[in-house]
Amino acid sequence: MTSAPVDMVALTRALVDIDSTTGREGAVGRWLADYLRGRGWAVVEQRVDNTRFNVIADGGTPTSARENARVTFSTHIDCVPAFFPSRVDGDRLYGRGACDAKGILAAQVAAAEQLRREGESRVGLVFVVGEERGSDGAKIANEATTSSARHYLINGEPTDNRLGLATRGILRLKFRAEGRAAHSSFPELGESAIDKLLDALVDLRSIPLPEDAVLGRTHYTIGLISGGVAPNVVSPAAEAEVMFRTVGDAAQVQRAVARLARTVAIEHVLEVPTVHLKTIAGFDAAVFPYTTDIPFLARWGEPLLFGPGSIHVAHTADEFVSIAELTAAAGHYVTLARTLLGRPDPRAAAERDSDR
C-alpha cells in the first residue's frame, strides 16, 4: 500500500496532545496503532500489562526472515511528567514529548513510509512503553524477534541529529544506615543513623571511580535521602539512593564502594550496561551520557542511536523540537536505512542516468 508523505508536524502534535506519562500510555498506543494500520502497516499490540502495550509494525518482511538485511526504527511513547499540550512558535514545536521522543517517532514513521514508497519492505517499527522508568516495554519487546547478523536497530533519542558512539550505563545503589532511637536530650543513649549515613556519603566523595578513554569518568548523583522520625529523636534509620553513571563494568563501581559497607548496608537497585554503538561514515558522532532502551532490545539487531532534538531541553518545562531539525532527521533516517540495507540512493541513480 502506497501512502501520502507523513505530515510530521501534525503527527507529532497529535501524539504530544495525548498524555502518555509513564504508566498512562494506553490511549496514545491505541491512537498510534490505528494510525499505522490506516497507512497499511501490519500492527501487533504487544501487551505489557493490563493497560499498556508496545506497538510493533511490520513493513512487509516477516520478522523471522534471517536471510536478508533488515532495519527496525524504535523509540518510546511514554513521557515524564508533567503533561502539557503542543503549540508551534516559529520553528519550534513545544509540548511534553515533542523532543523526547514523539517528534523522533514521527520522523521515524516518515522515513519508513518513504522507504516503503521506494519499494523497500525490509523495514519495521517498534514503539515501546515505559522507557522513562525501567524499560519494561523494551524488555517485553525483545521477546518478539530473533536477530540475525544483518539486522539493525536504529533507536531514537535526542542526539542533535548525530550518531551515538557510546552511551553510559546506570548503577543505582541504596545505602541504608541503622541506629538506635533515644531522646535528643540524651544523645549518648542512642545511635544516630543519619550521622552514619552522612559519614558514608562524605567518604564516597574520596573514592576513586572507574574511567574510560571514550566515555570519561564515572560520576554520581545522590538523588534521594531520608531518615529520622522527629526533630527531638536520635534517628533510628536513614537511607540514600545514589545513581552512578557508569563507563564500563558496573561491578568495578560496586567493588570501589564496598568499603562503605563498614558503615551502611548497600542494596543493589538497578543496573543498565554501557553500550558501544555502530556508526556510519558521513555522520557526526558523539558520546551521550544518558541511557536508552538499547541494552534491552539486543535481539532486534546491531544498534545505532540517532534523533533530532537536544537532551538539554528534554524533561524541561519548555520542551521543544526544531521543525527544521525534525524534517532533516527523517531524511537522515532514510539515508541510514539505505546504507545499512545496501540500497543505492535513487536520486543519485537518477542523476547518473541523466548524465548518460
Side-chain angles (χ1 to χ4, degrees):
M1 176 177 179
T2 302
S3 301
V6 172
D7 184 334
M8 282 182 284
V9 172
L11 177 54
T12 301
R13 294 195 68 177
L15 294 168
V16 167
D17 289 340
I18 303 172
D19 181 2
S20 61
T21 304
T22 308
R24 303 180 61 183
E25 301 98 322
V28 76
R30 287 189 292 274
W31 189 95
L32 179 58
D34 288 343
Y35 173 86
L36 293 173
R37 288 189 184 103
R39 298 187 73 92
W41 290 82
V43 177
V44 173
E45 298 177 10
Q46 184 192 37
R47 187 63 53 184
V48 174
D49 59 28
N50 290 336
T51 62
R52 303 182 302 156
F53 53 87
N54 298 323
V55 177
I56 301 177
D58 182 64
T61 301
T63 57
S64 60
R66 301 175 61 88
E67 66 276 9
N68 294 317
R70 182 175 178 81
V71 168
T72 300
F73 293 108
S74 179
T75 192
H76 58 95
I77 60 176
D78 65 315
C79 303
V80 299
F83 168 77
F84 62 99
S86 69
R87 64 182 176 89
V88 173
D89 185 356
D91 179 56
R92 292 182 174 183
L93 195 167
Y94 290 86
R96 177 60 73 221
C99 170
D100 187 19
K102 293 178 177 180
I104 291 169
L105 189 156
Q108 290 183 337
V109 171
E113 288 282 75
Q114 180 174 332
L115 290 163
R116 292 175 76 209
R117 288 194 300 274
E118 295 173 4
E120 180 56 72
S121 62
R122 296 171 294 167
V123 178
L125 304 169
V126 176
F127 301 133
V128 300
V129 303
E131 188 271 347
E132 300 289 0
R133 291 190 184 176
S135 295
D136 48 343
K139 293 170 184 175
I140 298 296
N142 204 43
E143 301 170 3
T145 191
T146 300
S147 182
S148 81
R150 300 182 64 211
H151 285 193
Y152 303 95
L153 175 79
I154 303 178
N155 188 246
E157 291 287 350
T159 68
D160 299 297
N161 279 350
R162 296 173 292 173
L163 282 171
L165 285 170
T167 58
R168 286 175 176 259
I170 280 177
L171 176 65
R172 279 170 54 192
L173 299 177
K174 185 173 288 186
F175 298 163
R176 298 181 185 274
E178 299 295 331
R180 184 173 63 254
H183 197 285
S184 61
S185 63
F186 291 92
E188 68 274 11
L189 299 180
E191 187 178 14
S192 171
I194 289 178
D195 285 352
K196 287 183 177 181
L197 180 63
L198 291 177
D199 287 345
L201 295 178
V202 169
D203 193 11
L204 177 60
R205 294 180 180 178
S206 65
I207 295 176
L209 296 172
E211 298 185 10
D212 178 81
V214 174
L215 287 163
R217 65 179 183 86
T218 302
H219 57 75
Y220 68 88
T221 301
I222 303 169
L224 295 170
I225 190 166
S226 62
V229 293
N232 60 346
V233 178
V234 176
S235 58
E239 64 180 39
E241 191 160 329
V242 184
M243 172 83 82
F244 295 88
R245 295 286 179 168
T246 57
V247 299
D249 186 355
Q252 294 178 322
V253 176
Q254 292 178 292
R255 287 193 293 270
V257 304
R259 77 188 200 193
L260 301 179
R262 295 173 297 186
T263 308
V264 295
I266 302 175
E267 176 187 338
H268 183 282
V269 178
L270 174 69
E271 182 178 335
V272 178
T274 58
V275 176
H276 291 266
L277 299 153
K278 182 176 178 63
T279 57
I280 299 292
F283 284 85
D284 291 338
V287 170
F288 294 97
Y290 51 78
T291 58
T292 73
D293 275 330
I294 286 175
F296 307 106
L297 293 169
R299 295 175 66 184
W300 285 92
E302 187 174 2
L304 297 83
L305 180 68
F306 186 91
S310 170
I311 196 66
H312 298 301
V313 301
H315 299 192
T316 70
D318 294 313
E319 181 175 350
F320 73 89
V321 67
S322 159
I323 295 172
E325 193 173 345
L326 195 66
T327 302
H332 293 319
Y333 280 133
V334 170
T335 300
L336 287 169
R338 285 190 189 128
T339 302
L340 295 168
L341 294 170
R343 286 178 59 97
D345 185 334
R347 292 170 300 179
E351 289 173 2
R352 287 194 301 271
D353 290 342
S354 65
D355 291 338
R356 291 175 181 172

